[in-house]
Amino acid sequence: MGRSFRLGTGTIQANGVELGIERFGREDDPLVLLAGGTTMLSWPDALCEQLAVGGRHVVRYDLRDSGGSTTLDPEQPGYDLRDLAADAAALVGALGVETAHLGGVGVSGMVAQVAALDHPEVFSALTLVATRPVAPGPVDEDLPDHDPAVMDALFSYPMPDWTDRDAVAAFAAQGAEMMGDDPAQARATASRIWDRTPSSDPAVHQANQLGMVFSRIDCAPRWRERLGELDLPTLVVHGRADPFFPLGNGEALAAEISAAELLVLDDMGTALPSPASAPVAAAMLAL
């Protein structure tokens, strides 16, 4: 890559909260805003740098109750999905621009869908990675649910000591093998997430690692029936081997958003693998 395209990390106030951010590229380039799922590290460094090389100002950020963002009580969050969508829209303005390409991965893909629907004047393009068009909980009959065998294996695996960095990293690597992801990448990412967690509270560490807050926030009302309203360029990225949100979920998103393109990665499970950064960045830059 030559020189580094990282501009640095910090926090920025938006919608009444502090959001942890990291910037790549030049601030006067078009903005690509990447919502963490739930921490910003769900977006690989290589992908952020390749977008910056392609002439984009990339800002990845932590959702509330994770990473460098405002953390109060992830076991009893005082906000809902619409607040998280409003955070994304407010962050664009706080960064000093009018519009942005918004990306969401996993649960933050749900945030991104709602943000684009509720704030259509703010978002110019959308990238949805390994997500689905309905909230956590019971799935629509036409959508494939979590792979039951994989879920049984995951839930039978003992939880780590959330205050033990090595134990948490090993737990992440074990889970990655079950989810079709790279264990080495998962171990490294979990260690970085642990280092960025602003508390020694086990509940906060667990929330940072597993995105537990999404099982506790109100995601109503449904938004799937509104997806036809979206007319912005959209990229749906999904792993063929994803057991958590199986491929049919990405196919449904691509079918229901009129301007959507579906990119299926044969070797991807639930997480964006670093080697996929080049094709994903190229597809995002083409929107």
Side-chain angles (χ1 to χ4, degrees):
M1 292 263 185
R3 68 183 180 85
S4 173
F5 284 84
R6 291 176 188 259
L7 296 181
T9 61
T11 61
I12 192 166
Q13 187 169 49
N15 199 28
V17 294
E18 293 288 327
L19 297 175
I21 65 168
E22 183 171 21
R23 301 172 185 250
F24 299 76
R26 301 190 315 165
E27 292 187 32
D28 55 353
D29 283 336
L31 176 63
V32 176
L33 182 66
L34 302 177
T38 52
T39 81
M40 65 172 71
L41 296 181
S42 53
W43 295 95
D45 297 356
L47 174 60
C48 296
E49 294 228 358
Q50 289 187 45
L51 289 171
V53 170
R56 301 296 186 270
H57 174 207
V58 179
V59 177
R60 61 181 179 181
Y61 76 99
D62 302 307
L63 300 186
R64 300 189 196 192
D65 283 319
S66 70
S69 295
T70 294
T71 296
L72 297 175
D73 183 358
E75 295 191 306
Q76 295 183 319
Y79 52 88
D80 59 24
L81 179 62
R82 264 64 193 177
D83 292 318
L84 296 178
D87 289 351
L91 183 53
V92 173
L95 290 165
V97 297
E98 294 183 357
T99 62
H101 176 163
L102 177 63
V105 57
V107 289
S108 73
M110 300 170 189
V111 175
Q113 292 170 64
V114 174
L117 286 164
D118 288 358
H119 307 275
E121 74 286 355
V122 176
F123 300 108
S124 57
L126 194 59
T127 294
L128 304 172
V129 180
T131 190
R132 71 183 190 186
V134 295
V139 73
D140 291 355
E141 289 186 2
D142 65 317
L143 297 176
D145 204 352
H146 311 310
D147 183 299
V150 173
M151 294 303 104
D152 286 348
L154 279 174
F155 286 114
S156 65
Y157 193 70
M159 290 287 182
D161 175 356
W162 291 108
T163 63
D164 183 330
R165 183 179 188 271
D166 291 340
V168 168
F171 176 80
Q174 178 73 25
E177 287 190 287
M178 301 178 194
M179 301 293 270
D181 300 327
D182 178 359
Q185 180 178 325
R187 181 186 293 272
T189 299
S191 297
R192 291 176 67 189
I193 292 172
W194 199 96
D195 291 340
R196 297 183 67 247
T197 300
S199 171
S200 59
D201 185 340
V204 176
H205 275 291
Q206 184 177 12
N208 271 255
Q209 295 286 340
L210 300 182
M212 297 298 293
V213 71
F214 267 82
S215 66
R216 301 183 174 101
I217 65 172
D218 182 3
C219 293
R222 285 172 57 91
W223 68 87
R224 184 180 182 185
E225 290 73 17
R226 297 177 58 203
L227 289 175
E229 300 172 20
L230 295 174
D231 61 359
L232 73 174
T234 300
L235 174 67
V236 177
V237 180
H238 220 96
R240 193 175 299 280
D242 188 342
F244 194 73
F245 294 143
L247 176 58
N249 292 281
E251 292 173 334
L253 278 171
E256 293 175 31
I257 300 172
S258 61
E261 169 192 347
L262 177 63
L263 173 60
V264 178
L265 299 176
D266 290 337
D267 297 328
M268 176 177 159
T270 61
L272 267 174
S274 290
S277 294
V280 173
M284 293 176 71
L285 291 167
L287 291 182

